[in-house]
Amino acid sequence: MTNESKQASINSYYLTLVRLKYKDELRRESSLIQQATQIQVVFSFAIAFLYTALPVVLDELNPKWDRMAYAISGTTSLFLLSSLGCASFAQWRYKMKTFPSFDNIKSELFKNDTSEELHIKSVQEQKLGKNLEQITESLEFTNNKRLRFILIAKILFAIALVCMFFSTITFIVCILYTTSSLKM
C-alpha cells in the first residue's frame, strides 16, 4: 500500500468518524431541546396546581396563617420560575460555527492557489473533515451548555416539588388544627 493510498484511507476513516460525531451531536441537541420543552410543560402543571390549591387553602385556613401560606407559595413559585428560566435558556439558539458561506467556498475552490490540491479526493475529505470537526466542536460546546441549564432546571424543580410537598403537609396540619380549635 502506497503512502498516498494509506493517507486516503485514513482521511476517509477520519471523515466517517467526524460525520458520525456530527450526527450524534445533532441528535443530542434535539433531545436536549425536547427535555427543556418537557420541563416547561411540567412547570405549567405545577404552577396550575399551586395557584388552584392556594385559594382553597386560604379559604379553609385561619387568617393568622395567611402570611405563611403566601410565603410558602411565593418561595415555591420562585423555584418554579427559576426552573422555567433555565429550561428556556436551554432552548436558546446560541451562536455556533457553521459551514462557510458559498462565497468563501467558491473563493477556495476557484480563486486560491490551493485549488490545484483540491482535485485529490483525500484532500477534499480532509478539508471537509476539518470543517465538520470545527462545527461539531461548536455544537458539542453548545450542547454541554444546554445540558447544564437542564440539570439546574431539574434541581430547581425538585426543590419546588419538595416545597410543595412539605407545604401541603403543613397546610393540612394547619387546617386540621384550625377546624379542631373551632369545635372546642
Side-chain angles (χ1 to χ4, degrees):
M1 195 173 217
T2 67
N3 279 344
E4 285 182 19
S5 61
K6 285 180 183 178
Q7 189 62 40
S9 176
I10 290 171
N11 286 342
S12 178
Y13 179 65
Y14 167 74
L15 183 59
T16 302
L17 289 177
V18 171
R19 283 181 175 154
L20 289 172
K21 177 69 174 164
Y22 178 69
K23 287 179 184 177
D24 184 50
E25 284 301 322
L26 286 176
R27 281 191 301 270
R28 185 173 172 228
E29 178 185 41
S30 177
S31 173
L32 290 171
I33 289 174
Q34 186 178 14
Q35 283 182 42
T37 302
Q38 290 170 347
I39 290 170
Q40 289 174 329
V41 169
V42 173
F43 161 83
S44 299
F45 286 112
I47 208 79
F49 167 76
L50 180 67
Y51 286 107
T52 302
L54 186 62
V56 174
V57 168
L58 290 175
D59 281 346
E60 295 295 323
L61 207 55
N62 190 330
K64 68 180 181 180
W65 301 104
D66 282 355
R67 284 188 178 166
M68 180 186 67
Y70 284 122
I72 290 173
S73 67
T75 303
T76 304
S77 295
L78 178 69
F79 284 117
L80 286 172
L81 287 172
S82 299
S83 175
L84 176 67
C86 287
S88 297
F89 282 132
Q91 288 183 323
W92 192 268
R93 297 293 179 180
Y94 296 99
K95 185 176 180 179
M96 295 184 290
K97 174 121 176 86
T98 59
F99 286 101
S101 69
F102 284 116
D103 290 336
N104 290 348
I105 292 171
K106 286 178 193 175
S107 170
E108 187 171 355
L109 289 178
F110 302 115
K111 296 177 186 169
N112 283 348
D113 297 333
T114 59
S115 62
E116 287 298 317
E117 298 173 351
L118 291 176
H119 73 280
I120 302 170
K121 183 152 180 77
S122 66
V123 174
Q124 294 171 358
E125 289 178 342
Q126 189 176 21
K127 286 196 98 31
L128 178 60
K130 285 189 187 293
N131 277 333
L132 267 176
E133 180 182 345
Q134 291 171 348
I135 292 167
T136 303
E137 286 174 349
S138 176
L139 184 58
E140 183 178 21
F141 176 78
T142 301
N143 284 343
N144 289 338
K145 195 184 304 186
R146 289 182 203 283
L147 181 62
R148 283 191 292 276
F149 278 122
I150 288 172
L151 290 175
I152 293 169
K154 286 180 178 181
I155 290 168
L156 291 170
F157 190 79
I159 292 170
L161 287 179
V162 168
C163 286
M164 290 171 91
F165 175 75
F166 284 117
S167 64
T168 302
I169 291 173
T170 304
F171 291 145
I172 290 171
V173 168
C174 289
I175 290 170
L176 291 174
Y177 175 76
T178 302
T179 55
S180 68
S181 65
L182 291 177
K183 290 180 183 178
M184 294 182 167

